[in-house]
């Protein structure tokens, strides 16, 4: 999980769909248990998947709507921690969409990253540093640093 260093909000791993992230998320050994996503035997992917989920939620909060231009995970983003905790997610359907997308990705070139014109902390940072979306954990740490004015490294925790 990733934690916001100020609000202490926890973001659990999502199922990453972004083709611009070069990590092997499409081949990750994912297990869903009690409504949580676990990347078995792959701490790096788990942390980056939690960071991707946090990025989706922060951009959703800034925009007030889902922006498909930067949506890194299959799960819908949410506005508050309470809303996130009460979300009912159909992981069977998500995993089926993921498997279908992986088949398509193997035969086509992934699209490039684009962002909407509205400027805000996470979206403007993504637009000016799209290469950092390749490593969601790094992107999130740098965005937190810009937002809060100090380093926010190690704001994650691995759940076994």
């Amino acid at each position: 999980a990733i934690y916001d260093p100020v609000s202490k909000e926890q973001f659990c791993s999502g199922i990453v769909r972004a083709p611009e992230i070069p990590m092997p998320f499409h081949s990750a050994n994912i297990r869903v248990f009690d409504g949580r996503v676990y990347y078995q035997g792959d701490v790096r992917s788990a942390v980056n998947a939690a960071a991707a989920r946090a990025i989706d939620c922060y951009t959703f909060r800034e925009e007030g709507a889902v922006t498909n231009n930067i949506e890194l995970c299959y799960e819908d983003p949410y506005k508050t921690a309470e809303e996130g905790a009460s979300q009912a997610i159909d992981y069977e359907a998500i995993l089926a969409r993921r498997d279908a997308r992986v088949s398509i990705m193997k035969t086509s070139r992934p699209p490039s990253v684009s962002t909407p014109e509205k400027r805000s902390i996470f979206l403007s940072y993504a637009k000016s540093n799209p290469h950092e979306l390749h490593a969601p954990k790094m992107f999130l740490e740098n965005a937190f640093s810009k937002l809060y004015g100090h380093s926010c490294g190690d704001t994650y925790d691995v759940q076994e």
Side-chain angles (χ1 to χ4, degrees), residues 16 21-30 39 42 44-45 98:
V16 176
I21 300 175
M23 296 177 156
F25 286 108
H26 63 280
S27 62
N29 187 10
I30 296 175
Y39 286 77
D42 190 355
R44 181 175 171 223
S45 290
R98 172 185 174 246

Side-chain angles (χ1 to χ4, degrees), residues 96-115:
R97 283 188 6 223
R98 172 185 174 246
D99 292 344
R101 186 176 181 136
V102 166
S103 296
I104 292 169
M105 283 173 46
K106 288 180 179 178
T107 59
S108 66
R109 189 171 180 216
S112 62
V113 179
S114 62
T115 59

Side-chain angles (χ1 to χ4, degrees), residues 13-50:
S13 295
I15 298 178
V16 176
R17 72 176 184 170
E20 63 273 7
I21 300 175
M23 296 177 156
F25 286 108
H26 63 280
S27 62
N29 187 10
I30 296 175
R31 296 285 182 249
V32 177
F33 182 72
D34 285 341
R36 290 189 148 191
V37 177
Y38 295 90
Y39 286 77
Q40 291 188 315
D42 190 355
V43 172
R44 181 175 171 223
S45 290
V47 169
N48 278 287

